[in-house]
Amino acid sequence: MAFNVQKVKEDLCRWLNEWFLENGPGCNAVIGISGGKDSSVTAALCVQALGKDRVIGVLMPNGEQSDIDVALALTKHLGIRAYVVNIKDAYDGVVNAAKAGGVELSDQAYINLAPRLRMSTLYAVSQSHNGRVINTCNLSEDWVGYSTRYGDSVGDVCPLGKLTVAEVKELGTYLGLPDMFVHKVPSDGLCGKTDEDNLGFTYAVLDRYIRTGEIEDPETKALIDRKHKANLFKLELMQTFPYEPEA
């Protein structure tokens, strides 16, 4: 399917401008910066739409982060304000307090704790700097639930949520971002594996399936369909009991 990158870029910038006018005139865009394609493209879009003085990048390593230099390079390339907030003490505090309270955390709880602490950090920075938190998830990740609920799956506004990984990369290149930001091997930076290792299939296969419905391997199709169905709840608002008082 055709992807008109120039039109998408212009429409996205206009849409972001309109959203901020309605939901926070003069507010700043606060973005968690990893140095990967999604946060890089999101930050570049916000700079185009709002100006670099209204974009704040927040780097949140959990102790040592081997690729933090890439994230710092992105903030320098765009000329935006940047804060480094190491979440290691907060992470260890929760883990140790849980142990002291007799709670045995599961492996998945350990993995998801960091992105949830990062989102809390983003909102703390946002509330302290007249900001709005920008979600950086893309359609491909959302399709199979590759995000943490109440972690990187949330925010105040989501520019890339309807774009596949391939489309995000094309947009990043069109925005003039160097390859080191657009084509960095995707990883959550938490468990030591790439996104594709964790998913069990490539984004190229997933993107094609999303846009065309075409896929060769029936096992991969079944895996994608299963992940999609199991994780739809992450994209929905919390359900509330539909109680209505009797007249």
Side-chain angles (χ1 to χ4, degrees):
M1 297 177 69
F3 180 67
N4 187 334
V5 66
Q6 179 180 353
K7 183 176 186 303
V8 170
K9 178 260 183 182
E10 292 172 355
D11 289 348
L12 263 172
C13 288
R14 182 169 57 252
W15 180 80
L16 277 168
N17 253 306
E18 292 171 353
W19 187 89
F20 269 89
L21 284 172
E22 184 175 346
N23 297 281
C27 285
N28 299 304
V30 177
I31 306 166
I33 301 293
S34 68
K37 66 185 179 308
D38 297 318
S39 63
S40 298
V41 173
T42 300
L45 275 172
C46 288
V47 167
Q48 290 267 327
L50 306 172
K52 65 181 181 180
D53 292 339
R54 289 178 59 192
V55 181
I56 300 172
V58 187
L59 289 68
M60 296 165 285
N62 185 12
E64 295 294 325
Q65 181 176 322
S66 60
D67 60 352
I68 195 170
D69 58 321
V70 179
L72 286 168
L74 184 277
T75 63
K76 291 178 181 177
H77 173 77
L78 295 176
I80 62 175
R81 279 180 285 172
Y83 298 103
V84 179
V85 182
N86 200 309
I87 65 168
K88 180 64 172 172
D89 288 345
Y91 182 90
D92 289 344
V94 173
V95 169
N96 293 332
K99 289 179 179 178
V103 179
E104 185 174 340
L105 297 177
S106 67
D107 290 343
Q108 198 61 46
Y110 278 110
I111 291 172
N112 287 334
L113 178 58
R116 287 175 176 143
L117 289 171
R118 284 173 174 152
M119 188 53 64
S120 294
T121 301
L122 284 176
Y123 272 97
V125 173
S126 179
Q127 288 189 318
S128 303
H129 290 274
N130 189 32
R132 298 290 184 267
V133 174
I134 314 300
N135 176 283
T136 63
C137 288
N138 61 60
L139 175 62
S140 302
E141 292 174 340
D142 284 344
W143 193 269
V144 291
Y146 197 63
S147 60
T148 298
R149 198 173 199 203
Y150 303 118
D152 56 335
S153 68
V154 298
D156 297 320
V157 66
C158 181
L160 304 182
K162 297 299 182 183
L163 303 184
T164 65
V165 163
E167 291 161 353
V168 170
K169 288 181 177 180
E170 188 172 345
L171 180 59
T173 299
Y174 183 78
L175 287 165
L177 288 171
D179 283 353
M180 66 184 291
F181 305 124
V182 178
H183 296 288
K184 180 171 172 275
V185 176
S187 170
D188 61 10
L190 301 169
C191 65
K193 295 182 179 180
T194 69
D195 290 0
E196 294 179 340
D197 288 336
N198 286 321
L199 288 170
F201 44 80
T202 66
Y203 279 122
V205 168
L206 176 60
D207 289 356
R208 182 180 176 221
Y209 183 44
I210 290 172
R211 289 301 186 214
T212 70
E214 297 173 358
I215 191 167
E216 275 76 33
D217 183 21
E219 291 186 3
T220 301
K221 178 183 183 303
L223 177 59
I224 292 173
D225 289 344
R226 186 165 64 250
K227 286 179 176 291
H228 180 61
K229 182 178 180 181
N231 290 284
L232 282 173
F233 75 97
K234 292 183 181 180
L235 306 179
E236 298 172 350
L237 293 174
M238 179 176 63
Q239 293 190 20
T240 303
F241 173 61
Y243 172 70
E244 299 235 356
E246 295 180 6

